[in-house]
């Protein structure tokens, strides 16, 4: 860490990280607005149990298309990142209001959720780019907090479901829309542009995007991230099914919230440890532990309660905890003028992989026991660890 870097980070206003984390949580809450109220909508409109899966997939496909478009057009690098975040937070909030207004029309609801996913492409990756502009050596810790906020937001759908009897679904949907809009405004009004931020580019960054394959360091972190994405969202989708072997109703929802939300601990603690041991080593350890949790599933599913819930807690912490360190490694090694575009394209491919994994494992779960199925998820961590080896070795040398 150079004297100039230390001086720069000592001058960062204290409000920067809290505002970034709060805005990221508020903006990404759009992701879960409909999932949390699906039981109410299914009762009111007679939709089948598969409706939540279809609506989730619509949003995921919107996010994949949005991140692809944003990356190819270099939106996050050609325009002020704060303005992109604000515009997408307001647009996503408007889409959620549209979903509320047309909620009885299932096809229209699918369209609104797809559009919401598209605009989320200007929130999650752009928030990480803004963090990378403010922080250099402390980027792993900063992204640990940012992704930790996203993990809690993801898990909050289960908490909202447990509480939904107390709040009518229109209140929840409109409340999430207002929260996202407030998050965009808060970030735009309270954060200036980072000092020394790389000048915005005026051309498309095709060559920079090619570093996903051509640059050994970028390729290593990106392929490690892809292995992580094979496992992460599928575990989140299957967690309620795993818990259903022992719990039901509100107890199941609270347990899912606690276990999935524990991933925030992995993100935050991993961010702190990365400052001492390096992002690649921290990501590698967490990826190896989550992969081990996949492998021991046949025994853990039959274990006494203490071991069963302990296994799920370790899995919940580690399956998400490596994510911010992969993003840190990619942001550090990507071309400086194209960090936003490289992160966005990486997200796009990663979420496409997650959809393939989710569809495959959810389908197989209907014909196989979870104990026999879950070890196959370890394929992602194994391949991710192999890809990550060069960066781990480089950290050992330093």
């Amino acid at each position: 860490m150079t004297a100039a870097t230390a001086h720069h980070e000592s001058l960062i206003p204290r409000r920067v990280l809290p505002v970034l984390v709060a805005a990221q949580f508020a903006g990404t809450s759009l992701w879960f607005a409909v999932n949390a109220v699906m039981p109410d909508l299914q009762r009111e409109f007679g939709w089948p149990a598969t409706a939540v899966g279809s609506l989730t997939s619509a949003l995921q496909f919107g996010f994949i298309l949005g991140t692809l478009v944003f990356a190819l057009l270099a939106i996050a690098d050609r325009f002020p990142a704060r303005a992109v975040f604000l515009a997408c937070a307001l647009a996503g909030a408007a889409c959620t209001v549209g979903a509320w207004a047309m909620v009885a029309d299932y096809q229209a609801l699918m369209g609104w959720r797809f559009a919401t996913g598209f605009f989320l492409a200007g929130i999650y990756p752009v928030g990480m780019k803004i963090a990378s502009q403010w922080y250099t050596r402390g980027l792993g810790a900063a992204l640990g907090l940012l992704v930790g906020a996203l993990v809690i937001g993801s898990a909050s759908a289960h908490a909202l479901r447990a509480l939904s009897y107390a709040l009518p679904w229109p209140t929840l949907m409109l409340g999430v829309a207002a929260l996202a809009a407030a998050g965009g405004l808060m970030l735009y009004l309270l954060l200036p542009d980072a000092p020394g931020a790389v000048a915005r580019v005026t051309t498309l960054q095709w060559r920079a995007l090619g570093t996903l394959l051509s640059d050994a360091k970028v390729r290593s972190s990106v392929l490690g991230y892809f292995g992580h994405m094979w496992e992460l969202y599928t575990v989140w989708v299957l967690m309620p099914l795993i818990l259903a072997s022992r719990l039901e109703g509100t107890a199941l929802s609270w347990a899912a919230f606690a276990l999935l939300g524990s991933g925030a601990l992995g993100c935050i603690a991993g961010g702190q440890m990365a400052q001492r041991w390096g992002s690649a080593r921290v990501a590698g350890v967490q990826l190896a532990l989550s992969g081990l949790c996949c492998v021991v599933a046949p025994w853990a599913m039959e274990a006494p309660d203490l071991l069963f819930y302990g296994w799920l807690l370790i899995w919940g912490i580690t399956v998400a905890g490596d994510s911010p360190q992969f993003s840190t490694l990619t942001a550090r090694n990507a071309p400086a003028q194209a960090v936003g575009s490289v992160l966005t394209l990486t997200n796009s491919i990663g979420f496409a992989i997650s959809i393939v994994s989710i569809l495959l494992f959810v389908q197989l779960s209907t014909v196989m026991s979870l104990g026999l199925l879950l070890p196959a998820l370890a394929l992602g961590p194994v391949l991710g660890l192999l890809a990550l080896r060069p960066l781990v070795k480089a950290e050992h040398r330093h």
Side-chain angles (χ1 to χ4, degrees):
M1 185 174 182
T2 66
T5 299
H7 179 66
H8 163 69
E9 298 211 350
S10 69
L11 295 178
I12 296 175
R14 290 184 177 181
R15 71 178 185 278
V16 169
L17 196 53
V19 169
L20 264 174
V21 170
Q24 184 85 308
F25 175 82
T28 54
S29 68
L30 295 167
W31 211 294
F32 323 106
V34 171
N35 289 37
V37 299
M38 274 307 295
D40 293 326
L41 299 181
Q42 286 168 327
R43 282 193 297 271
E44 189 161 332
F45 301 112
W47 294 340
T50 55
V52 66
S54 301
L55 287 167
T56 300
S57 296
L59 185 137
Q60 297 274 69
F61 279 119
F63 183 76
I64 290 169
L65 179 63
T67 47
L68 187 60
V69 169
F70 275 53
L72 295 179
L73 297 181
I75 298 295
D77 297 308
R78 294 168 69 195
F79 303 99
R82 292 163 51 243
V84 172
F85 191 102
L86 172 62
C88 289
L90 294 177
C95 288
T96 301
V97 173
W100 161 78
M102 302 179 69
V103 71
D105 184 338
Y106 185 70
Q107 295 304 317
L109 184 58
M110 290 270 285
W112 283 116
R113 292 305 283 164
F114 179 88
T116 303
F118 184 93
F119 290 115
L120 277 163
I123 297 175
Y124 175 43
V126 174
M128 291 195 292
K129 179 196 170 148
I130 294 171
S132 73
Q133 291 177 327
W134 279 100
Y135 297 91
T136 51
R137 190 175 186 274
L139 182 58
L143 291 187
L145 286 166
L146 277 184
V147 179
L150 175 66
V151 169
I152 293 174
S154 305
S156 68
H158 295 284
L160 288 172
R161 190 167 298 158
L163 293 169
S164 61
Y165 68 89
L167 290 172
W169 61 260
T171 302
L172 285 172
M173 289 182 71
L174 293 175
V176 165
L179 181 65
L185 288 166
M186 177 175 62
L187 185 139
Y188 188 79
L189 296 174
L190 297 183
L191 284 193
D193 286 325
V198 176
R200 291 187 292 274
V201 299
T202 57
T203 58
L204 302 185
Q205 299 295 295
W206 299 104
R207 183 173 297 177
L209 292 177
T211 59
L212 268 69
L213 295 176
S214 63
D215 184 284
K217 290 182 177 179
V218 177
R219 183 171 65 244
S220 180
S221 63
V222 164
L223 291 178
Y225 173 76
F226 293 162
H228 150 82
M229 288 296 283
W230 170 263
E231 180 194 17
L232 174 65
Y233 278 90
T234 302
V235 171
W236 283 0
V237 168
L238 294 179
M239 185 66 79
L241 292 179
I242 298 170
L243 288 170
S245 65
R246 308 202 182 195
L247 297 172
E248 60 183 19
T250 303
L252 190 157
S253 294
W254 282 121
F257 169 66
L259 292 168
L260 296 181
S262 69
L265 297 176
C267 293
I268 295 167
Q272 296 301 314
M273 289 187 287
Q275 296 186 83
R276 170 181 256 181
W277 295 319
S279 291
R281 277 186 276 187
V282 170
V285 168
Q286 298 216 52
L287 192 61
L289 287 172
S290 66
L292 184 61
C293 287
C294 302
V295 172
V296 303
W299 296 275
M301 288 290 292
E302 306 299 326
D305 280 356
L306 184 63
L307 291 176
F308 175 78
Y309 291 114
W311 162 62
L312 290 180
L313 180 61
I314 294 170
W315 205 359
I317 290 171
T318 58
V319 74
D322 48 1
S323 186
Q325 301 316 314
F326 284 121
S327 297
T328 297
L329 291 166
T330 301
R332 281 179 181 160
N333 295 317
Q337 80 281 5
V339 168
S341 297
V342 171
L343 285 172
T344 306
L345 181 60
T346 302
N347 280 159
S348 181
I349 299 171
F351 275 85
I353 290 169
S354 75
I355 282 190
V356 172
S357 177
I358 289 169
L359 293 175
L360 174 64
F361 279 86
V362 168
Q363 182 62 37
L364 289 175
S365 70
T366 63
V367 295
M368 289 178 64
S369 73
L370 288 171
L372 294 176
L373 177 61
L374 292 172
L377 275 174
L379 176 65
V382 168
L383 295 178
L385 286 168
L386 290 173
L388 196 60
R389 276 197 307 176
L391 290 178
V392 174
K393 288 180 179 177
E395 285 184 349
H396 276 296
R397 286 196 295 271
H398 289 89

